Amino acid sequence: MGEYNEKKETCGTICLKYLLFTFNFFFWLAGLAVMAVGIWTLVQKSDYISLLPSSMYAATAYILVIAGAVVMVTGFLGCCATFKERKSLLKVYFILLLCIFILEILAGILAYIYYQQLNDELKQSLKNTMTMKYKQPGEDRVTNAVDKLQQEFKCCGSNNSQDWRESVWIKSPESEGRLVPDSCCKTVTTRCGLREHPSNIYRVEGGCITKLETFIRSHLLIIGAVGLGIGFVQVFGMIFTCCLYKSLKSEPY
């Protein structure tokens, strides 16, 4: 009867080992995906981050990059701990899983919070950013972001093209009499902003605020879903780790 129990425990341990190894393989791939989403957000969409007064959007992306990198290292460590059956490595692995879980849940929560307050923040800040910083010394990043925003989303001004009448640059001699920046034009040419007729410039209901808000909200949903989704999967990894640890602890040395 004792031999049967010992074999049964050994069989269970083997099953747990391969189950945890399989989990770590897919966990490593998930870490790669998480890090890719974070890097993509920071690299491809970094221009728009300069238009936001809050750093929360960037913070969620940085958290995903860090979490993704740690996930990949942790996945490798988990494989080593599983096959070497080292309880000390399993402890470290479990602690790292817990830390990553907290990071990704934090990213999901931050994304959700910012999702809720985004509309008010954009209404309060985007118009001021566009009119006060566009084409001003030391504000090249904002200028490029505004030009890219208006061209990519086919919009003009924060709420509408009339917002540009309050622009510091439009009122200055440097604008050469433009009524809107050239990036408002449907076909961009030098000084095309001298004419603000609907046939020449973009006039979108809601202006660039609506376009930028929709864009950022969609990305926040992706960031939040990725963070919370991977975090949920990690719970199973922690359960498998605890089970394997207890199984190894009960085995004779």
Side-chain angles (χ1 to χ4, degrees), residues 41-99:
T41 300
L42 292 171
V43 174
Q44 295 295 324
K45 311 302 175 183
S46 61
D47 289 337
Y48 298 140
I49 293 176
S50 64
L51 299 177
L52 304 173
S54 171
S55 59
M56 198 177 294
Y57 179 64
T60 56
Y62 279 117
I63 289 174
L64 284 186
V65 172
I66 295 171
V70 177
V71 162
M72 295 178 71
V73 174
T74 303
F76 178 76
L77 176 63
C79 290
C80 294
T82 301
F83 277 104
K84 290 187 177 182
E85 299 186 5
R86 298 283 299 275
K87 293 195 292 291
S88 58
L89 286 178
L90 282 174
K91 284 182 180 178
V92 175
Y93 175 65
F94 180 85
I95 292 171
L96 285 174
L97 278 181
L98 185 60
C99 291

Side-chain angles (χ1 to χ4, degrees), residues 10-44:
T10 303
C11 181
T13 300
I14 292 172
C15 289
L16 282 171
K17 282 174 61 177
Y18 282 100
L19 189 61
L20 192 55
F21 176 79
T22 303
F23 168 82
N24 277 305
F25 174 72
F26 287 105
F27 189 51
W28 187 89
L29 292 178
L32 183 63
V34 167
M35 189 165 62
V37 169
I39 292 175
W40 173 70
T41 300
L42 292 171
V43 174
Q44 295 295 324

